[in-house]
Each structure stands twice: as structure tokens, then as C-alpha cells.
Amino acid sequence: IVAIVDGSETSHYAIGASITVAREDADALTFCVTIDPALSADGVGMTCFEQMAVELSRQMLDDALQRARASGVPRATGQILQDEPARGVVAFARAERAGLIVLGLAPRVGILRPFIRSLAEEILRETTIPLLAVRRPARGKLNRRILVPLVDDELSQLGVSYAVELAKSFRSSLFFCTVQDASGERAAMHALNAARAATDAAGIASDELLLPRGDDITSAIVRNADVHDCDSIVMATHMRQGLPRLIEGSVTEAVLYASDVPVVIVGAPHPAALRSR
């Protein structure tokens, strides 16, 4: 597990979430801080800023490590990365063969928010390593009960497959929900039945809910995560770019910024990568 630390309030929540997962999974945990490589430029002034950044980074890592040790994760480590944040984190996670990246997600505000990419979005465009985004303090163990929104397509199947693997590892129960769209109830029920078949085959407990047509999908997902006492949400995404992203939007992205429970995002492989397999 690679957890990004930046000293923010949401980063504090992400540290807690990463410790919870690492403790339950008995997995390696590394906290990392990125420093702008421009601070390494020549000049007395820049060198001073770099030293200050390194000292601050070490303090943030020390605080995270003390918290991890006090919480039962004694082998957690810290790493300072001198690189652009998304590129540095992804390169480090790949080198460490990480199975999860964790970060705190700050809300996007203002009229320009559709045009602003968060660190979470940048990371998802660079890698298919699952990303756990945290906006609020996590409740429970993050994995006791997991909400999995789905539709009848390959992208949802990717999210279901990942959720099933999580449930097998953590003995979780899954809660599937879908909405009856223009294609009708048959397609919605087909998606739910396929998901239930996957959990039955894996010996995992699951429930499902067919949401009424006309509901705002994002609001319904967020609301049902709370109503049904789910600890986290698992969703897959294509991470659209450019004009399609502005016109069509993304339910996954909307849930990411609206959910009070942690959201695990599974990025779909690029079509070129699929063709090369």
C-alpha cells in the first residue's frame, strides 16, 4: 500500500484509512511525500526552500509512522519523492508493485471545477493500480460491507471482479445496486443476477437493490451507502478525457467527490493495452 501524505486534513484521514487496510491485510505500507524537483535548482534561495521542504516532509512522515506503529502497523516506512506528484507516486507504486494507492481528496469548488484535475484524477490516468480516495474519517474497518454500483456492461464487471477479490481477502459482504435505465428492468436485473452469481461462486454474502428510475444516480449511490451502513464504495471508471468528459460526465467521478465514505476506484485498462494482451 502506498499512502500519499501532504499535511492536509484529508491526508490525515487517508493515513488512518491506509493504516486500517494494512493492519487488516497484514500488508506493507509506505507513506510518501512529493517535493517539487524545481526546488533542487541552482541558487542559494532555492536550496534553502528545498531544505525546508525536506525537513517538513520528514516531520510529516515521522508523524504518520508514529501513528502507524501506535495502531499496530510497526513495519510501515516513509519515502520522500522528488518528482511531480502524480508521476512520482505512480512510478514509485509501480516499482514497489503496490496493490493500492491511498490519498485524501479535497473538494473542488468554483466555476472552473469541471476543468480542474485533482491529483486523484491524474493518478488514475497514469495507472490501473486501484485508488482509495478518502474525504471524511473512515468508519468501521473499510471492508466489512462494501457498496458496488453497477450497470450491465464490461466496466461494471471490472468493478464487481475487484470487489469480489476484496471480499474474499477481508471476508466482506457486498451490496450491489443498479438503476433501471432506458434499456429497461431486464438489463438491470441481468447485471444484478450476474453479480450475485459471482459472489455465490466465491462463497461471499451479498445483497442487491434495484433503484427506481428517475433517481439522480450519484445521490442514490451516496445515500444508499449511508442508509445500508456501508464502509466503502467500489467503482470502476474509464476516466474520460476532453470533450466527452465535459458533456457526458462521469458517475464515478461525481460519487468520488460526493461520498462521505471512502471510495475505491478501479481504472479500466486502455484499449491498446487490452489488444496487446
Side-chain angles (χ1 to χ4, degrees), residues 142-148 163-164 166-176 199 203-208 228-234:
L142 282 174
N143 46 38
R144 177 184 53 85
R145 185 168 173 81
I146 302 171
L147 176 67
V148 188
V164 167
L166 276 182
K168 287 167 61 177
S169 297
F170 293 102
R171 298 180 182 177
S172 316
S173 65
L174 301 182
F175 184 76
F176 298 108
T199 56
I204 296 166
S206 67
D207 295 300
E208 61 275 336
H228 294 278
D229 197 25
C230 296
D231 300 305
S232 57
I233 299 172
V234 169

Side-chain angles (χ1 to χ4, degrees), residues 218-238:
T218 299
S219 298
I221 291 171
V222 172
R223 181 178 66 252
N224 278 283
D226 186 57
V227 169
H228 294 278
D229 197 25
C230 296
D231 300 305
S232 57
I233 299 172
V234 169
M235 300 184 73
T237 181
H238 286 302

Side-chain angles (χ1 to χ4, degrees), residues 70-84:
S71 301
V73 186
R75 296 183 181 179
T77 59
Q79 183 76 31
I80 296 177
L81 308 173
Q82 290 190 312
D83 203 342
E84 182 273 332

